[in-house]
């Protein structure tokens, strides 16, 4: 009986002392933090991907509250709905931004871009890029070691073993940009998803002269400039033997896709063309192949 | 050109060394000790060793295949075999088969594969198994058969080991130290104990072989043995009746086995020569402290496991001397 | 026997072409001169399409102080100034010259007579070396004149000549020491005069006893030059290791350089090039190249004009064997595997090594078993396993603290690794990235 009493009293005393110390400490060393930071952080997805440009979700929340403006701030993972909730907490207007997605700008699969050497080093794009031009004749295209796959936190990008190229799962992709950063050749671009997920882009980053590109890859951009001429909206620019479609100006008319002799321009998620136009596409391809031969 | 050229960075040549070569080298170095134990413990030694090796290989194969679901099995790299042999070497030769199998399961399953397999385990797997058995089955694990009973296994007659006698001396039995076998008997292994640890001579042959083949460096074994010798020597000088002579300490128990084969385990020992010396000295010191002042007669396994835990810390602080580094 | 004090390995020597005298290789049909053949700024082309050039005509001017001019090794017409695929598969700017005849510039002394005496001042010697485009011939291709101009506050005390040739297979330097002994020694005297010192050491590994004997005998007539036989150990030919082996001094961690401990290190090939540049007015446009390999019919040492495609050397040595898996420019420890065999011979090409497909393929990497053999092998006292892991995890700050910049990329760690881990691949990545971070930081200051 006595023993139990001693135990109870001693534990009680220890607890009491601790409580007093904690109480004093919490009052004395208290740091004021804007409660809204916590509130904002709570609505964020907590992926801590860094896609917003701040160190993690709490960093983003702090920046939102402290600057008092949402100008130029976007949580790529949560997208518009999350930004609207953040705006509501802070009493701000949420600025509308377009949803984006990662696109792989290389279409040089094994059949289009034959291998000329075989790389036997460490399995890393960064290492291969810094030492060798890759296994194919193209020194700009995808290396195929999957640094982008390792970088993705959302399991949204995978290597296709048949083509040897990464493929983006549009629904899982949050456009955080980790893959684009990881790619040593800057092949991956974060582009607007486009209306109804439809978009047109040049699937190549090769800046070699046309003849050199053509030799290395059958679907590379040769910088012929046909797409620039055919575009009615002046959305396409040609620089260093490479065409680029400005997503802000592009109206998805797909004229350039038909015009491209190399098939380097891809149009994604469009319904199949009417038979007539399809025939034209085929003739274009045919002329391209005869030109090559 | 018909075939594609291979490109990779330098170096383009390799020494030809491999994980397998090192592991099988250790196994070869263990053969003399195994032969001695067969001579002294006969059937028991054979049954225990075979059971332990087979069980370790089986558990490694089963875990990689069914739990980790890896495509490639790693049982042929020799590491599981070493764990099996070392576990067997660390138990009495009359230990029942079912206890050995439990030990193998703990060694491979808990000690090695939970951390991801070879190269990832912080503790020496064989010792994890051994210490688990020692704590769970203290009676079976601490009744060692007398030598020379070649045909008996679990029914072998047991007797006091030199270490037990030494512990009795520490506890005040002044005559215990006189009952110790001669140093020569201890050296060649004619005394009771766990089956692989008895013969310092056979273990030293193994050490020379591993040093010759450059499987290990001298740092860990030498620093452990030297520390034990010096520290126990000091204690012996303080009170020769209570504390056994340093040579006796070196030749008894699992000290040689531990210093040569267990503490030198690649995965769980430090990476730099400086760190290896720190590690070895600490193991030697802890071993003597446990032997003389602890509850157990033998402290090698505990000392090694404790220092295994400190290995990352040692790696962090004991850096090799950089080229051109100026002494401060 | 002297050697360096930390780490080191001993790969199989395989000096297949050690007994083969130097042969003169036929002229190529077209010579290609990449504009970046050295460390530092690329050279700037000063010829254009259609220009006529002679052997020894300057075709590209140095692009800065740390740079070197390039000279034509052939006579003929400039075909184009375009790009060539280099060893890595990337395109680099280069000058193409179609070969017509073999017409040399008149200023070059083509006699074989040995010239020993010169009245040139040290400054004039350095100027001549600079004008002749001489760079380190051991493979690093650092412009020689830069090394001969000690930065303020540093004073050279001795010249150390690298006759080690620690790379397996290569024999170019060995043959040079045997066949051009006196020329090399005069070159060493010139280098000593250029940096105003009276002591010179020539380090030679004792797997070349004939070269040691011959050099020692001839060196008696050259005051101040001593031949130092060294124990065979890789990477003895590394600048820092050689200094440690010969004069027992260790160069501190970067940014310190050999001159901080009073040493100027040059290769025997460089000494020979210096001799030719100063005494014979002959700019650097040819060099000795070892062509070797176990499957090769006729391993040889060729005196080769620069710009010659490597395929021509291989053909001259018996043709590309059927089982070739890898073609390496340089030695097997530090050389670079070529993406194609049309790569031209440059100033730093010491050898062409053919490996069959069995030798060439790396074994599959296994998990690190923490055996610490890489730590023992590292000649710089680093922890390669740690550097590689940290680099793979992109921990740039930590990897910098672990002295990754001290790594000399000798490959001893990967050579010795029982788990066949591609450590050096990752360390190179880390070193490159950290180097970039350091440069950016210095630029900010």
């Amino acid at each position: 009986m006595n023993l139990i009493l001693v135990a109870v009293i001693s534990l009680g005393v220890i607890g009491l002392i601790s409580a007093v110390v904690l109480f004093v400490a919490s009052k004395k060393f208290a740091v004021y933090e804007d409660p809204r930071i916590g509130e904002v952080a709570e609505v964020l997805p907590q992926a801590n991907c860094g896609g917003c440009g701040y160190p993690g979700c709490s960093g983003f929340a702090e920046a939102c509250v402290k600057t008092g403006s949402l100008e130029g701030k976007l949580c790529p993972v949560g997208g518009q709905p999350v930004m609207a909730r953040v705006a509501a907490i802070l009493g701000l207007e949420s600025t509308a931004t377009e949803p984006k997605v990662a696109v792989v700008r290389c279409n040089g699969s094994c059949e289009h871009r034959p291998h000329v050497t075989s790389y036997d080093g460490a399995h890393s794009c960064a290492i291969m890029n810094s030492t060798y031009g890759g296994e194919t004749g193209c020194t700009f295209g995808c290396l195929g070691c999957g640094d982008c796959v390792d970088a993705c936190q959302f399991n949204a990008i995978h290597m296709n073993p048949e083509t040897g190229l990464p493929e983006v799962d549009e629904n899982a992709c949050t456009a955080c940009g980790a893959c684009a950063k990881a790619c040593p050749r800057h092949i991956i671009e974060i582009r607007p998803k486009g209306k109804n997920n439809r978009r047109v882009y040049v699937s190549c980053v090769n800046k070699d002269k046309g003849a050199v590109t053509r030799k290395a890859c059958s679907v590379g951009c040769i910088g012929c400039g046909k797409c620039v001429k055919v575009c009615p909206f002046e959305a396409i620019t040609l620089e260093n033997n490479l065409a680029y479609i400005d997503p802000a100006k592009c109206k998805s008319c797909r004229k350039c896709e038909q015009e491209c002799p190399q098939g380097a321009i891809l149009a994604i998620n469009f319904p199949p063309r009417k038979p007539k136009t399809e025939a034209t596409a085929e003739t274009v391809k045919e002329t391209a192949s005869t030109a090559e031969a | 050109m018909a075939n594609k050229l291979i490109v990779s960075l330098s170096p383009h040549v390799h020494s030809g060394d491999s994980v397998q070569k090192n592991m099988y080298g250790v196994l070869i170095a263990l053969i003399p000790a195994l032969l001695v134990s067969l001579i002294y413990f006969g059937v028991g030694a054979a049954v225990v060793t075979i059971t332990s090796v087979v069980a370790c290989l089986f558990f490694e194969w089963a875990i990689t295949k069914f739990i980790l679901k890896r495509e490639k099995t790693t049982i042929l790299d020799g590491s599981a075999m070493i764990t099996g042999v070392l576990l067997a070497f660390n138990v009495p030769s009359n230990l029942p088969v079912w206890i050995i199998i439990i030990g193998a399961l703990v060694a491979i399953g808990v000690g090695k594969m939970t951390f991801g397999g070879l190269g990832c385990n912080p503790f020496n797997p064989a010792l994890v198994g051994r210490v688990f058995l020692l704590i769970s089955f203290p009676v079976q694990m601490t009744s060692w058969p007398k030598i020379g009973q070649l045909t008996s296994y679990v029914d072998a007659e047991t007797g006091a080991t030199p270490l037990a006698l030494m512990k009795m001396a520490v506890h005040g039995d002044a005559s215990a130290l006189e009952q110790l076998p001669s140093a020569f008997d201890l050296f060649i292994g004619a005394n009771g104990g766990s089956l692989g640890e008895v013969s310092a001579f056979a273990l030293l042959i193994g050490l020379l072989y591993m040093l010759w083949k450059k499987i290990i460096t001298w740092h860990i074994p030498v620093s452990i043995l030297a520390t034990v010798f010096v520290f126990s020597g000091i204690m012996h000088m303080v009170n020769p009746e209570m504390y056994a002579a340093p040579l006796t300490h070196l030749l008894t128990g699992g000290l040689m086995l531990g210093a040569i084969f267990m503490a030198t385990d690649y995965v769980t020992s430090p990476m730099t020569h400086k760190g290896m010396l720190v590690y070895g000295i600490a193991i030697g010191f802890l071993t003597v402290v446990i032997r003389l002042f602890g509850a157990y007669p033998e402290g090698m396994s505990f000392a090694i496991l404790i220092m295994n835990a400190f290995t990352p810390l040692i790696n962090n602080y004991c850096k090799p001397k950089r080229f051109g580094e100026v002494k401060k | 026997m002297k050697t360096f004090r930390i780490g080191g390995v001993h790969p199989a020597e395989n000096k297949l072409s050690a007994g083969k005298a130097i042969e003169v290789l036929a002229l190529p049909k077209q010579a290609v001169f990449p504009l970046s053949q050295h460390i530092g700024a690329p050279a700037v082309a000063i010829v254009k399409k259609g220009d006529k050039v002679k052997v020894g005509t300057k075709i590209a001017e140095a692009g800065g102080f740390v740079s070197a001019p390039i000279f034509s090794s052939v006579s003929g017409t400039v075909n184009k100034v375009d790009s060539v695929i280099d060893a890595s598969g990337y395109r680099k700017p280069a000058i193409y010259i179609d070969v017509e005849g073999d017409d040399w510039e008149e200023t070059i002394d083509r006699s074989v007579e040995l010239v020993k005496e010169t009245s040139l001042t040290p400054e004039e010697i350095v100027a001549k070396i600079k004008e002749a485009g001489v760079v380190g011939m051991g493979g690093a291709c650092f412009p020689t004149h830069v090394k001969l101009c000690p930065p303020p506050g540093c004073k050279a005390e001795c010249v150390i000549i690298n006759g080690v040739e620690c790379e397996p297979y290569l024999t170019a330097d060995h043959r040079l020491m045997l066949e051009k002994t006196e020329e090399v020694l005069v070159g060493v005297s010139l280098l000593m005069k250029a940096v105003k010192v009276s002591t010179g050491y020539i380090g030679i590994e004792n797997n070349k006893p004939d070269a040691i004997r011959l050099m020692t005998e001839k060196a008696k007539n050259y005051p101040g030059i001593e031949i130092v036989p060294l124990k065979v150990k890789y990477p003895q030919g590394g600048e820092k290791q050689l200094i440690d082996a010969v004069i027992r001094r260790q160069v501190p961690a970067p940014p310190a350089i050999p001159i901080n401990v009073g040493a100027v290190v040059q290769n025997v090939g460089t000494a020979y090039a210096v001799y030719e540049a100063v005494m014979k007015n002959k700019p650097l446009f040819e060099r000795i190249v070892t062509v070797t390999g176990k499957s090769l019919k006729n391993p040889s040492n060729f005196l080769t004009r620069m710009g010659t495609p490597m395929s021509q050397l291989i053909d001259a040595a018996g043709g590309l064997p059927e089982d070739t898996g890898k073609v390496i420019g340089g030695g097997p420890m530090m050389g670079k595997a070529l993406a194609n065999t049309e790569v031209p011979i440059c100033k730093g090409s010491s050898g062409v090594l053919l490996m069959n497909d069995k030798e060439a393929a790396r074994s599959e990497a296994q998990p690190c078993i923490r055996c610490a053999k890489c730590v023992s092998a590292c000649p710089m006292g680093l922890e390669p396993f740690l550097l590689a892991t940290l680099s793979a995890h992109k921990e740039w700050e930590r990897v910098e603290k672990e002295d990754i910049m001290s790594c000399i990329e000798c490959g001893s760690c990967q050579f010795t690794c029982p788990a066949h881990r591609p450590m050096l691949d990752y360390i190179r990545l880390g070193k490159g990235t950290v180097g970039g971070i350091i440069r950016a930081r210095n630029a900010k200051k």
Side-chain angles (χ1 to χ4, degrees):
Chain A
M1 197 60 211
N2 208 6
L3 209 66
I4 293 167
L5 209 66
V6 170
V8 167
I9 290 171
S10 55
L11 271 180
V13 171
I14 292 170
L16 199 69
I17 294 172
S18 308
V20 170
V21 170
L22 279 176
F23 176 75
V24 172
S26 71
K27 283 284 162 207
K28 201 163 164 71
F29 304 116
V31 178
Y32 174 75
E33 194 193 47
D34 196 324
R36 292 178 303 168
I37 293 178
E39 284 173 47
V40 172
E42 229 158 72
V43 300
L44 293 175
Q46 298 302 336
N48 287 320
C49 62
C52 53
Y54 295 91
C57 290
S58 58
F60 182 67
E62 201 178 318
C64 287
V65 174
K66 285 204 174 145
T67 54
S69 133
L70 291 181
E71 196 78 15
K73 293 193 187 70
L74 172 70
C75 172
V77 179
Q80 221 42 54
V82 163
M83 290 315 290
R85 288 173 70 189
V86 172
I89 293 169
L90 300 179
L92 295 167
E93 291 265 320
S94 83
T95 45
T97 45
E98 249 179 309
K100 292 188 174 183
V101 70
V103 295
V104 179
R105 291 181 295 169
C106 178
N107 202 13
S109 59
C110 307
E111 61 183 291
H112 293 140
R113 200 167 49 134
H115 284 203
V116 290
T117 54
S118 107
Y119 174 76
D120 190 30
H123 198 72
S124 151
C125 299
I127 290 175
M128 210 207 294
N129 179 55
S130 64
T131 52
Y132 284 102
E135 294 182 305
T136 69
C138 172
T139 54
F140 295 89
C142 180
L143 294 163
C145 284
D147 278 16
C148 49
V149 177
D150 296 339
C152 184
Q153 291 193 24
F154 307 98
N155 207 14
I157 190 162
H158 297 282
M159 291 310 283
N160 183 332
E162 265 172 40
T163 59
L165 296 169
E167 281 173 6
V168 179
D169 176 351
E170 277 176 38
N171 300 323
C173 179
T174 60
C176 72
C179 51
K181 250 185 247 167
C183 179
R185 298 202 146 167
H186 311 291
I187 290 166
I188 301 177
E189 186 193 6
I190 305 298
R191 277 177 86 93
K193 267 192 171 163
K195 265 182 205 158
N196 302 327
N197 279 349
R198 290 173 187 174
R199 55 193 171 271
V200 182
Y201 62 96
V202 180
S203 183
C204 182
V205 291
N206 192 313
K207 291 183 180 129
D208 275 329
K209 284 178 195 158
V212 175
T213 312
R214 205 195 292 263
K215 210 174 157 192
C217 178
S218 62
V219 292
C221 171
I222 53 171
C224 63
K226 280 187 179 168
C227 51
V228 180
K229 278 184 210 135
V230 81
C231 180
F233 310 103
E234 295 182 343
I236 306 181
T237 47
L238 190 69
E239 211 177 314
N240 297 324
N241 305 312
L242 177 65
Y244 178 76
I245 303 176
D246 185 347
K249 291 181 187 163
C250 177
K251 305 272 191 248
S252 302
C253 70
R254 290 194 283 164
K255 279 200 174 127
C256 51
E257 185 211 2
Q258 274 173 300
E259 193 68 21
C260 183
Q262 289 289 95
I265 297 177
L266 296 188
I268 301 289
N269 295 335
F270 285 91
R273 284 172 192 272
K274 287 166 206 156
K276 197 185 158 194
T277 39
E278 222 164 42
T280 4
E282 263 176 37
T283 22
V284 169
K285 262 185 199 163
E286 265 170 38
T287 37
S289 53
T290 40
E292 258 185 84
Chain B
M1 194 163 33
N3 48 346
K4 284 176 279 184
L5 285 179
I6 299 173
V7 291
S8 61
L9 290 172
S10 65
H12 305 287
V13 283
H14 192 267
S15 60
D17 199 0
S18 69
V19 174
Q20 283 80 353
K21 273 189 190 169
N22 283 291
M23 295 297 170
Y24 288 116
V26 175
L27 283 172
I28 291 170
L30 284 163
I31 287 176
L34 181 65
L35 291 179
V36 170
S37 67
L38 288 177
I39 291 169
Y40 287 121
F41 300 112
V43 178
V47 172
V48 171
T49 311
I50 291 167
T51 313
S52 171
V53 169
V54 170
C56 280
L57 288 175
F58 170 77
F59 287 127
E60 172 135 345
W61 172 80
I63 290 170
T64 35
K65 174 131 190 171
F66 298 111
I67 298 179
L68 298 175
K69 299 211 162 59
R70 287 184 191 157
E71 278 174 22
K72 270 184 72 181
T73 173
T74 48
I75 55 169
L76 289 177
D77 67 13
S79 61
M81 245 179 266
I82 293 182
T83 304
V85 174
L86 286 178
L87 178 67
F89 275 23
N90 270 298
V91 298
S93 62
N94 60 351
L95 199 68
V97 169
W98 62 274
I99 296 187
I100 301 167
I101 291 175
I102 291 174
L105 177 61
V106 173
I108 294 292
V110 179
K112 187 174 170 192
M113 300 315 287
T114 38
F115 297 101
L118 180 62
C120 307
N121 47 307
F123 298 104
N124 187 326
L127 282 180
V128 171
R130 196 249 157 162
V131 166
F132 177 83
L133 293 184
L134 181 65
I135 296 169
S136 313
F137 308 98
V139 179
Q140 291 92 326
M141 283 293 287
T142 52
S143 43
W144 286 278
K146 287 179 180 164
I147 57 168
Q149 310 173 70
L150 293 184
T151 51
S152 47
Y153 173 38
V154 281
D155 49 339
E157 189 188 334
T158 60
T161 62
L163 271 181
L165 293 170
M166 282 153 73
K167 198 83 204 179
M168 281 155 71
V170 173
H171 291 311
D173 183 350
S175 65
L177 283 183
E178 287 160 19
Q179 297 170 28
L180 280 174
S182 70
F184 180 75
D185 278 350
L186 289 174
F187 183 63
I188 61 159
N191 57 311
S194 296
L195 70 90
E197 71 185 21
V198 289
S199 173
F201 173 65
L203 293 166
L204 283 172
I205 292 176
L207 172 66
L208 291 180
Y209 176 80
M210 289 200 291
L211 289 177
W212 173 54
K213 283 281 177 192
K214 297 209 170 90
I215 294 170
I216 59 168
T217 57
W218 57 269
H219 303 80
I220 293 175
V222 169
S223 61
I224 294 179
L225 299 178
T227 311
V228 168
F229 189 83
V230 171
F231 187 40
S232 62
I234 293 169
M235 298 310 290
H236 181 64
M237 277 192 282
V238 172
N239 187 347
E241 297 222 325
M242 244 173 103
Y243 304 120
L247 192 64
T248 317
H249 270 284
L250 282 191
L251 297 177
T252 49
L255 188 77
M256 284 282 175
L257 180 66
I260 296 168
F261 289 101
M262 318 279 275
T264 56
D265 171 36
Y266 282 153
V267 183
T268 55
S269 62
M271 301 288 282
T272 65
H273 294 165
K274 219 189 292 176
M276 287 175 187
L277 290 177
V278 171
Y279 171 82
I281 289 169
I283 289 179
F285 180 76
L286 284 174
T287 304
V288 177
V289 167
I290 297 173
R291 277 189 180 187
L292 299 183
F293 310 113
Y296 285 95
E298 174 59 305
M300 198 65 203
S301 330
F302 291 105
I304 294 174
L305 284 178
I306 289 168
M307 288 318 293
N308 282 170
F310 280 97
T311 296
L313 200 67
I314 294 173
N315 278 336
N316 213 6
Y317 285 102
C318 295
K319 293 287 165 190
K321 186 175 174 288
R322 307 283 197 230
F323 185 92
E325 192 183 353
V326 195
K327 274 185 189 137
K328 281 167 199 160
Chain C
M1 195 71 71
K2 284 179 171 178
T3 188
F4 56 96
R5 285 170 287 179
I6 304 179
V9 292
H10 187 184
E13 286 161 28
N14 286 319
K15 304 273 191 186
L16 307 172
S17 52
K20 299 281 181 66
I22 300 167
E23 296 165 54
V24 178
L25 190 76
L27 289 176
K29 285 202 178 68
Q30 187 181 52
V32 183
F33 303 89
L35 292 176
S36 191
Q37 302 197 7
H38 44 258
I39 289 180
V44 183
I46 53 170
V47 289
K48 56 184 190 305
K49 186 175 176 173
D51 284 1
K52 293 280 177 196
V53 294
K54 290 180 178 178
V55 176
T57 307
K58 191 192 273 186
I59 52 174
E61 188 64 77
F65 179 65
V66 184
S67 184
I70 295 167
F71 296 84
S72 174
S73 66
V74 292
S75 58
T77 316
V78 177
N79 180 300
K80 57 181 171 176
V81 181
D82 195 11
S83 62
V84 66
I85 300 173
D86 74 351
S88 59
Y90 286 111
R91 290 186 165 268
K92 298 281 162 63
I95 301 169
Y96 289 70
I97 297 176
D98 291 331
V99 181
E100 294 150 9
D102 192 25
D103 187 13
W104 289 47
E105 290 275 352
E106 286 77 31
T107 46
I108 301 171
D109 174 5
R110 293 184 68 181
S111 68
V112 288
E113 254 164 71
L114 180 75
V115 188
K116 286 175 79 168
E117 298 304 321
T118 177
S119 54
L120 295 173
T121 64
E123 287 72 26
E124 284 166 342
I125 294 176
V126 174
K128 271 194 127 173
I129 292 171
K130 184 177 177 185
E131 255 324 288
V134 178
V135 300
M137 304 279 276
C141 301
F142 195 78
T144 301
H145 66 271
V146 181
K147 275 190 182 176
L148 300 178
C149 304
C154 296
K155 205 188 155 302
E157 291 166 42
C158 63
V159 169
I160 299 176
I161 300 298
N162 180 356
V164 166
E165 205 156 53
C166 59
E167 277 272 7
Y169 290 97
L170 299 189
T171 55
D173 290 353
H174 184 186
R175 290 313 304 180
L176 189 70
M177 287 189 285
L178 287 179
E179 295 179 33
K180 306 280 181 193
T181 319
E182 297 261 2
E183 285 85 347
V184 169
L185 288 166
V186 174
V188 178
S189 314
L190 288 171
L191 284 167
M192 284 155 62
K193 193 172 177 189
V195 290
K196 301 169 197 152
V197 298
S198 55
T199 30
Y201 302 98
I202 304 180
I204 307 174
E205 283 191 344
N206 66 352
N207 57 358
K208 297 180 263 295
D210 47 350
I212 296 176
R213 215 176 312 123
L214 190 63
M215 294 286 275
T216 316
E217 199 186 299
K218 298 270 170 139
K220 281 174 194 155
N221 306 324
Y222 295 85
I225 299 182
E226 190 193 328
I227 310 297
V228 187
L230 299 167
K231 195 180 149 195
V232 181
K233 195 158 90 170
Y234 179 88
Q236 195 129 246
E239 207 170 47
K240 294 175 176 180
Q241 276 63 37
L242 187 65
I243 297 170
D244 188 28
V246 174
I247 59 170
R248 282 273 172 272
R249 287 185 203 169
Q250 291 192 341
V251 182
I257 49 174
I259 195 72
N260 292 84
V261 295
V264 173
V265 183
Q266 297 289 355
N267 184 269
V268 282
T270 317
Y272 181 66
V274 164
Y275 164 81
E276 290 204 311
V278 178
M279 299 305 207
K280 300 276 188 182
N281 273 322
K282 184 180 158 194
L284 181 62
F285 59 73
E286 57 183 7
R287 67 161 296 144
I288 298 160
V289 182
T290 303
V291 184
T292 183
K294 281 178 187 161
S295 308
L296 195 66
K297 204 181 280 171
N298 196 8
S300 319
N301 301 294
F302 290 119
L303 181 65
T304 313
R305 302 283 176 91
M306 278 162 203
T308 310
M310 296 208 179
S311 56
Q312 194 185 331
L313 281 94
I314 298 168
D315 289 339
L320 196 72
E322 266 299 298
D323 60 353
T324 303
K326 205 186 238 179
V327 180
I328 298 161
M333 292 301 284
M334 287 189 79
K336 187 161 178 114
L338 307 180
N340 75 73
T341 53
E342 294 306 310
V343 175
I345 293 290
C346 293
K347 290 177 179 177
S349 312
S350 48
V352 180
L353 168 61
L354 306 178
M355 287 186 128
N356 62 40
D357 27 22
K358 256 188 223 149
E359 290 174 285
R362 287 186 184 177
S363 299
E364 199 188 334
Q366 287 170 296
C368 172
I369 54 166
R370 309 179 65 79
C371 65
K373 287 187 180 183
C374 57
V375 182
S376 304
C378 180
M380 297 306 290
L382 305 171
E383 293 154 283
F385 76 100
L386 186 65
L387 299 179
T389 315
L390 292 176
S391 297
H393 291 159
K394 302 190 170 71
E395 301 234 20
W396 309 128
E397 267 175 46
R398 268 194 73 193
V399 85
E400 188 188 344
K401 278 197 194 112
E402 298 290 348
D403 301 310
I404 194 170
M405 294 312 283
S406 295
C407 173
I408 57 167
E409 302 179 24
C410 67
S412 298
C413 48
Q414 197 171 320
F415 171 81
T416 200
C417 180
H420 299 269
R421 297 185 68 73
M423 266 181 280
L424 190 53
D425 290 10
Y426 284 103
I427 294 176
R428 281 205 177 94
L429 175 69
K431 204 178 154 187
T433 314
V434 171
I437 293 171
I438 291 174
R439 273 194 299 279
R441 199 162 50 206
N442 291 345
K444 243 185 216 171
K445 271 178 194 167

